[in-house]
Amino acid sequence: MTSANASRQAVQAASDDAAAGEDAHLLRIRRLGRQLFGVSDCVIVLGGDVMAADAATGAFCRRAAPSGGAGVIPDALRHEALAREAAVSGAPHLRFFASLPVTGPDGGHAGSICLVDQAPRAGFGDDARRLLADLAALVERELALRSMSAVQLDLQKKNKNLRRRSLVDPLLGTWNRGAIMRILAIESERCAKAGVPLSLIVADLDYFKKINDTYGHPVGDTVLVKVASRLRSCIRAQEALGRYGGEEFLIVLPGSSHATALQVAERMRAAVAAQPEAVGGDLLRLTISAGVASSEIFPDASAEDLISRADMALYVAKDAGRNRVVHATPDLS
């Protein structure tokens, strides 16, 4: 092996190592091209991306490759235009050049596959052209597979978004009733297996019907959105907030004790009451009533039983004058 060839292979190996993490499939095609034709490099040009041993070779191939057909230059030094190229007159001193266009999945021109070498070649026959066409077909197949994968990923993303939208209340951005009930069932089972408490809160916006009747449903919707935002600000990432009814919310607190759930509910009550909402020339003083139930107090209760207990506590809070939190106890009726 000559020192020039050894140096060339060392440079190419370094280039392969750098490219391997970026595009293993196209790298294999390039490596196959070098071995089949015994050239210094097999370059793939795709739009704005060039896979080449060095920047000078890549820039040369980008300019030299025709977009409409194959091109074979036995000796670039004898070619009127290419002889003036920096990669020909100077390092890496390219002489032989052959290229074939690559067609994209849409049928349009996507780029080219090129062969370059530091030694001129007297001919590039039909067999060689067919082999180069086979390499181009491999690149085209890779592009087609990428296109299919991109479409599949896009469909998966859209399906995921559709599934999520089916679980989210479109007005409030909270979980809808079906989703929050499913979350409650999952967390109830998980907490039971882990031996940790499960607590929940049922909260209701006070005098919501009066707001709708006085100011109209658009104002009522705006108020609900702001209340939901304030409630959401009071819980942690592992806890869940859902719209349980028209103006009623269910908050699931896995792993939270009875005392912690009471603190969260009180924090929610204070957050809603802290800031009146301006509507026209009026200030709406918003409040919520809330009922709290916990498996710490009702260790044998099912998820549905806990909701029933929290609902009962909520009704007691309403009857006691609203804007308050009541916790469920065994003697509460």
Side-chain angles (χ1 to χ4, degrees), residues 215-229:
Y215 301 101
H217 288 278
V219 170
D221 287 347
T222 299
V223 167
L224 274 180
V225 170
K226 293 185 176 182
V227 168
S229 178

Side-chain angles (χ1 to χ4, degrees), residues 156-175:
Q156 289 173 1
K157 183 177 179 180
K158 289 179 179 177
N159 287 336
K160 184 177 180 180
N161 289 337
L162 285 173
R163 286 195 298 270
R164 180 173 177 81
R165 282 200 293 269
S166 72
L167 300 174
V168 172
D169 184 272
L171 174 64
L172 305 183
T174 65
W175 298 115

Side-chain angles (χ1 to χ4, degrees), residues 53-93:
D54 56 72
T57 298
F60 169 77
C61 290
R62 185 197 295 277
R63 290 191 293 269
S67 60
V72 178
I73 309 298
D75 189 350
L77 275 178
R78 297 179 179 275
H79 190 277
E80 181 179 358
L82 297 187
R84 296 192 293 269
E85 285 282 342
V88 175
S89 60
H93 301 286

Side-chain angles (χ1 to χ4, degrees), residues 104-120:
D106 60 355
H109 177 71
S112 59
I113 184 167
C114 309
L115 304 174
V116 294
D117 199 40
Q118 280 92 353

